[in-house]
PDB file of all heavy atoms in Angstrom:
ATOM      1  N   GLY A 412     -57.239  78.260 -28.694  1.00 76.00           N
ATOM      2  CA  GLY A 412     -57.849  78.439 -27.377  1.00 76.00           C
ATOM      3  C   GLY A 412     -59.013  77.517 -27.127  1.00 76.00           C
ATOM      4  O   GLY A 412     -59.665  77.605 -26.081  1.00 76.00           O
ATOM      5  N   GLN A 413     -59.309  76.620 -28.092  1.00 83.00           N
ATOM      6  CA  GLN A 413     -60.411  75.677 -27.970  1.00 83.00           C
ATOM      7  C   GLN A 413     -61.720  76.393 -27.629  1.00 83.00           C
ATOM      8  O   GLN A 413     -62.455  76.006 -26.723  1.00 83.00           O
ATOM      9  CB  GLN A 413     -60.098  74.613 -26.907  1.00 83.00           C
ATOM     10  CG  GLN A 413     -59.038  73.619 -27.325  1.00 83.00           C
ATOM     11  CD  GLN A 413     -59.494  72.786 -28.530  1.00 83.00           C
ATOM     12  OE1 GLN A 413     -60.514  72.114 -28.480  1.00 83.00           O
ATOM     13  NE2 GLN A 413     -58.743  72.855 -29.605  1.00 83.00           N
ATOM     14  N   MET A 414     -62.001  77.470 -28.421  1.00 88.00           N
ATOM     15  CA  MET A 414     -63.230  78.221 -28.196  1.00 88.00           C
ATOM     16  C   MET A 414     -63.714  78.833 -29.495  1.00 88.00           C
ATOM     17  O   MET A 414     -63.005  78.851 -30.504  1.00 88.00           O
ATOM     18  CB  MET A 414     -63.022  79.289 -27.121  1.00 88.00           C
ATOM     19  CG  MET A 414     -61.995  80.351 -27.468  1.00 88.00           C
ATOM     20  SD  MET A 414     -61.662  81.471 -26.079  1.00 88.00           S
ATOM     21  CE  MET A 414     -60.570  80.444 -25.064  1.00 88.00           C
ATOM     22  N   VAL A 415     -64.945  79.315 -29.458  1.00 89.00           N
ATOM     23  CA  VAL A 415     -65.584  79.967 -30.597  1.00 89.00           C
ATOM     24  C   VAL A 415     -66.054  81.338 -30.150  1.00 89.00           C
ATOM     25  O   VAL A 415     -66.677  81.467 -29.082  1.00 89.00           O
ATOM     26  CB  VAL A 415     -66.784  79.143 -31.113  1.00 89.00           C
ATOM     27  CG1 VAL A 415     -67.435  79.837 -32.298  1.00 89.00           C
ATOM     28  CG2 VAL A 415     -66.346  77.741 -31.487  1.00 89.00           C
ATOM     29  N   ALA A 416     -65.752  82.369 -30.959  1.00 92.00           N
ATOM     30  CA  ALA A 416     -66.208  83.730 -30.672  1.00 92.00           C
ATOM     31  C   ALA A 416     -67.273  84.114 -31.687  1.00 92.00           C
ATOM     32  O   ALA A 416     -67.133  83.830 -32.880  1.00 92.00           O
ATOM     33  CB  ALA A 416     -65.042  84.709 -30.734  1.00 92.00           C
ATOM     34  N   VAL A 417     -68.339  84.750 -31.214  1.00 91.00           N
ATOM     35  CA  VAL A 417     -69.404  85.198 -32.104  1.00 91.00           C
ATOM     36  C   VAL A 417     -69.778  86.631 -31.753  1.00 91.00           C
ATOM     37  O   VAL A 417     -69.688  87.049 -30.594  1.00 91.00           O
ATOM     38  CB  VAL A 417     -70.663  84.293 -32.007  1.00 91.00           C
ATOM     39  CG1 VAL A 417     -70.350  82.884 -32.439  1.00 91.00           C
ATOM     40  CG2 VAL A 417     -71.256  84.320 -30.605  1.00 91.00           C
ATOM     41  N   ILE A 418     -70.170  87.390 -32.781  1.00 92.00           N
ATOM     42  CA  ILE A 418     -70.809  88.696 -32.590  1.00 92.00           C
ATOM     43  C   ILE A 418     -72.289  88.473 -32.825  1.00 92.00           C
ATOM     44  O   ILE A 418     -72.698  88.065 -33.917  1.00 92.00           O
ATOM     45  CB  ILE A 418     -70.251  89.745 -33.556  1.00 92.00           C
ATOM     46  CG1 ILE A 418     -68.750  89.930 -33.341  1.00 92.00           C
ATOM     47  CG2 ILE A 418     -70.976  91.077 -33.391  1.00 92.00           C
ATOM     48  CD1 ILE A 418     -68.108  90.904 -34.317  1.00 92.00           C
ATOM     49  N   SER A 419     -73.109  88.723 -31.804  1.00 88.00           N
ATOM     50  CA  SER A 419     -74.517  88.363 -31.918  1.00 88.00           C
ATOM     51  C   SER A 419     -75.391  89.424 -31.263  1.00 88.00           C
ATOM     52  O   SER A 419     -74.915  90.301 -30.522  1.00 88.00           O
ATOM     53  CB  SER A 419     -74.768  86.996 -31.264  1.00 88.00           C
ATOM     54  OG  SER A 419     -74.486  87.059 -29.877  1.00 88.00           O
ATOM     55  N   GLY A 420     -76.686  89.292 -31.557  1.00 87.00           N
ATOM     56  CA  GLY A 420     -77.680  90.159 -30.941  1.00 87.00           C
ATOM     57  C   GLY A 420     -77.767  91.530 -31.571  1.00 87.00           C
ATOM     58  O   GLY A 420     -76.943  91.931 -32.396  1.00 87.00           O
ATOM     59  N   ARG A 421     -78.809  92.269 -31.173  1.00 87.00           N
ATOM     60  CA  ARG A 421     -78.980  93.625 -31.684  1.00 87.00           C
ATOM     61  C   ARG A 421     -77.864  94.556 -31.226  1.00 87.00           C
ATOM     62  O   ARG A 421     -77.520  95.511 -31.908  1.00 87.00           O
ATOM     63  CB  ARG A 421     -80.329  94.179 -31.227  1.00 87.00           C
ATOM     64  CG  ARG A 421     -81.540  93.456 -31.828  1.00 87.00           C
ATOM     65  CD  ARG A 421     -82.822  94.099 -31.353  1.00 87.00           C
ATOM     66  NE  ARG A 421     -83.988  93.439 -31.931  1.00 87.00           N
ATOM     67  CZ  ARG A 421     -85.240  93.779 -31.657  1.00 87.00           C
ATOM     68  NH1 ARG A 421     -85.480  94.782 -30.791  1.00 87.00           N
ATOM     69  NH2 ARG A 421     -86.246  93.138 -32.224  1.00 87.00           N
ATOM     70  N   SER A 422     -77.312  94.274 -30.055  1.00 90.00           N
ATOM     71  CA  SER A 422     -76.269  95.155 -29.510  1.00 90.00           C
ATOM     72  C   SER A 422     -74.881  94.816 -30.027  1.00 90.00           C
ATOM     73  O   SER A 422     -73.920  95.507 -29.685  1.00 90.00           O
ATOM     74  CB  SER A 422     -76.279  95.075 -27.977  1.00 90.00           C
ATOM     75  OG  SER A 422     -76.076  93.731 -27.554  1.00 90.00           O
ATOM     76  N   HIS A 423     -74.747  93.760 -30.825  1.00 91.00           N
ATOM     77  CA  HIS A 423     -73.452  93.374 -31.412  1.00 91.00           C
ATOM     78  C   HIS A 423     -72.382  93.176 -30.339  1.00 91.00           C
ATOM     79  O   HIS A 423     -71.287  93.732 -30.407  1.00 91.00           O
ATOM     80  CB  HIS A 423     -72.989  94.415 -32.435  1.00 91.00           C
ATOM     81  CG  HIS A 423     -73.715  94.338 -33.736  1.00 91.00           C
ATOM     82  ND1 HIS A 423     -73.080  94.227 -34.947  1.00 91.00           N
ATOM     83  CD2 HIS A 423     -75.037  94.369 -34.025  1.00 91.00           C
ATOM     84  CE1 HIS A 423     -73.977  94.194 -35.925  1.00 91.00           C
ATOM     85  NE2 HIS A 423     -75.174  94.277 -35.381  1.00 91.00           N
ATOM     86  N   HIS A 424     -72.699  92.337 -29.345  1.00 91.00           N
ATOM     87  CA  HIS A 424     -71.718  91.966 -28.336  1.00 91.00           C
ATOM     88  C   HIS A 424     -70.897  90.774 -28.806  1.00 91.00           C
ATOM     89  O   HIS A 424     -71.362  89.952 -29.602  1.00 91.00           O
ATOM     90  CB  HIS A 424     -72.416  91.588 -27.027  1.00 91.00           C
ATOM     91  CG  HIS A 424     -72.573  92.748 -26.091  1.00 91.00           C
ATOM     92  ND1 HIS A 424     -73.772  93.373 -25.850  1.00 91.00           N
ATOM     93  CD2 HIS A 424     -71.660  93.408 -25.325  1.00 91.00           C
ATOM     94  CE1 HIS A 424     -73.613  94.356 -24.992  1.00 91.00           C
ATOM     95  NE2 HIS A 424     -72.334  94.396 -24.648  1.00 91.00           N
ATOM     96  N   VAL A 425     -69.672  90.646 -28.258  1.00 94.00           N
ATOM     97  CA  VAL A 425     -68.846  89.468 -28.504  1.00 94.00           C
ATOM     98  C   VAL A 425     -69.074  88.478 -27.373  1.00 94.00           C
ATOM     99  O   VAL A 425     -68.975  88.824 -26.183  1.00 94.00           O
ATOM    100  CB  VAL A 425     -67.359  89.837 -28.597  1.00 94.00           C
ATOM    101  CG1 VAL A 425     -66.497  88.576 -28.692  1.00 94.00           C
ATOM    102  CG2 VAL A 425     -67.105  90.714 -29.805  1.00 94.00           C
ATOM    103  N   GLN A 426     -69.384  87.230 -27.730  1.00 91.00           N
ATOM    104  CA  GLN A 426     -69.559  86.154 -26.770  1.00 91.00           C
ATOM    105  C   GLN A 426     -68.618  85.010 -27.115  1.00 91.00           C
ATOM    106  O   GLN A 426     -68.368  84.731 -28.291  1.00 91.00           O
ATOM    107  CB  GLN A 426     -71.009  85.655 -26.773  1.00 91.00           C
ATOM    108  CG  GLN A 426     -72.017  86.696 -26.317  1.00 91.00           C
ATOM    109  CD  GLN A 426     -73.439  86.184 -26.351  1.00 91.00           C
ATOM    110  OE1 GLN A 426     -73.757  85.297 -27.148  1.00 91.00           O
ATOM    111  NE2 GLN A 426     -74.294  86.721 -25.495  1.00 91.00           N
ATOM    112  N   LEU A 427     -68.114  84.341 -26.078  1.00 91.00           N
ATOM    113  CA  LEU A 427     -67.166  83.243 -26.238  1.00 91.00           C
ATOM    114  C   LEU A 427     -67.795  81.951 -25.741  1.00 91.00           C
ATOM    115  O   LEU A 427     -68.395  81.908 -24.656  1.00 91.00           O
ATOM    116  CB  LEU A 427     -65.871  83.529 -25.469  1.00 91.00           C
ATOM    117  CG  LEU A 427     -65.097  84.796 -25.884  1.00 91.00           C
ATOM    118  CD1 LEU A 427     -63.902  85.009 -24.967  1.00 91.00           C
ATOM    119  CD2 LEU A 427     -64.657  84.712 -27.332  1.00 91.00           C
ATOM    120  N   PHE A 428     -67.645  80.876 -26.531  1.00 87.00           N
ATOM    121  CA  PHE A 428     -68.132  79.546 -26.179  1.00 87.00           C
ATOM    122  C   PHE A 428     -66.958  78.582 -26.218  1.00 87.00           C
ATOM    123  O   PHE A 428     -66.103  78.672 -27.108  1.00 87.00           O
ATOM    124  CB  PHE A 428     -69.190  79.049 -27.170  1.00 87.00           C
ATOM    125  CG  PHE A 428     -70.408  79.923 -27.271  1.00 87.00           C
ATOM    126  CD1 PHE A 428     -70.445  80.988 -28.149  1.00 87.00           C
ATOM    127  CD2 PHE A 428     -71.523  79.656 -26.497  1.00 87.00           C
ATOM    128  CE1 PHE A 428     -71.562  81.778 -28.252  1.00 87.00           C
ATOM    129  CE2 PHE A 428     -72.648  80.433 -26.592  1.00 87.00           C
ATOM    130  CZ  PHE A 428     -72.676  81.506 -27.467  1.00 87.00           C
ATOM    131  N   PRO A 429     -66.896  77.604 -25.316  1.00 87.00           N
ATOM    132  CA  PRO A 429     -65.879  76.551 -25.448  1.00 87.00           C
ATOM    133  C   PRO A 429     -66.232  75.610 -26.590  1.00 87.00           C
ATOM    134  O   PRO A 429     -67.393  75.490 -26.986  1.00 87.00           O
ATOM    135  CB  PRO A 429     -65.928  75.846 -24.087  1.00 87.00           C
ATOM    136  CG  PRO A 429     -67.303  76.110 -23.574  1.00 87.00           C
ATOM    137  CD  PRO A 429     -67.701  77.471 -24.094  1.00 87.00           C
ATOM    138  N   MET A 430     -65.255  74.933 -27.128  1.00 81.00           N
ATOM    139  CA  MET A 430     -65.482  73.997 -28.224  1.00 81.00           C
ATOM    140  C   MET A 430     -66.426  72.862 -27.826  1.00 81.00           C
ATOM    141  O   MET A 430     -67.077  72.255 -28.674  1.00 81.00           O
ATOM    142  CB  MET A 430     -64.153  73.399 -28.696  1.00 81.00           C
ATOM    143  CG  MET A 430     -63.323  74.325 -29.557  1.00 81.00           C
ATOM    144  SD  MET A 430     -63.953  74.411 -31.235  1.00 81.00           S
ATOM    145  CE  MET A 430     -62.624  75.312 -32.039  1.00 81.00           C
ATOM    146  N   SER A 431     -66.521  72.588 -26.542  1.00 78.00           N
ATOM    147  CA  SER A 431     -67.407  71.515 -26.099  1.00 78.00           C
ATOM    148  C   SER A 431     -68.863  71.826 -26.403  1.00 78.00           C
ATOM    149  O   SER A 431     -69.700  70.912 -26.459  1.00 78.00           O
ATOM    150  CB  SER A 431     -67.229  71.281 -24.590  1.00 78.00           C
ATOM    151  OG  SER A 431     -67.488  72.485 -23.868  1.00 78.00           O
TER     152      SER A 431
END
Side-chain angles (χ1 to χ4, degrees):
Q413 288 296 302
M414 62 187 78
V415 180
V417 297
I418 300 177
S419 63
R421 294 182 179 178
S422 58
H423 284 234
H424 268 107
V425 173
Q426 296 179 332
L427 300 175
F428 301 88
M430 283 283 190
S431 58

